[in-house]
Amino acid sequence: RPGADNPAINALALQCVSHFDHFRAPPSEQEIQRRRQHPLSERQLGLLQKWGYPYTDEEFRFHLTLSDAIDDHRIADAFYRAAVQYFDIPEVMRISEIALFFEATAGADFRLLRRYPLTGKKPFE
């Protein structure tokens, strides 16, 4: 995650979530139960029901997921240190496009559906 919150990235993320919401399947009961294993606030539970993910709107923080959960804390700490060192990018990160991917079934490989270049205009109009 970047060191500081970025309102422009957060706004873009919410625009993506709301614009592409019709592509997603509603969360299964199994997914909801899996999410509830971690403590969620009432707001996060509401976001899970609305968007299928509890960390949208004001709960969102830009991040890149690099792996599934790692239970061994020593391995997780080593992985974290390596990622911080590898992704220590001194210049400003620019987002020039976003990509829409499709997962046919849970756990399947993601397939690229379309790229959306960001041109300074609203990307989805």
Side-chain angles (χ1 to χ4, degrees), residues 106-118:
D109 289 342
F110 286 96
R111 293 187 0 237
L112 176 65
L113 290 180
R114 182 172 172 191
R115 291 177 182 268
Y116 292 87
L118 300 178

Side-chain angles (χ1 to χ4, degrees), residues 13-23 51 116 123-125:
L14 184 55
Q15 189 176 8
C16 291
V17 166
S18 62
H19 182 80
F20 292 111
D21 187 59
H22 64 279
F23 283 106
W51 301 116
Y116 292 87
F124 310 121
E125 292 184 357

Side-chain angles (χ1 to χ4, degrees), residues 13-14 17 21 24-27 31-32 34-35 40 43-57 59-65:
L14 184 55
V17 166
D21 187 59
R24 74 168 178 87
E31 173 68 8
I32 291 171
R34 185 183 71 80
R35 292 278 181 193
L40 295 176
R43 174 68 174 146
Q44 291 166 344
L45 287 170
L47 293 170
L48 176 62
Q49 290 297 326
K50 181 177 182 178
W51 301 116
Y53 187 65
Y55 306 108
T56 58
D57 288 0
E59 297 288 333
F60 177 77
R61 300 297 175 268
F62 177 80
H63 62 282
L64 300 172
T65 302

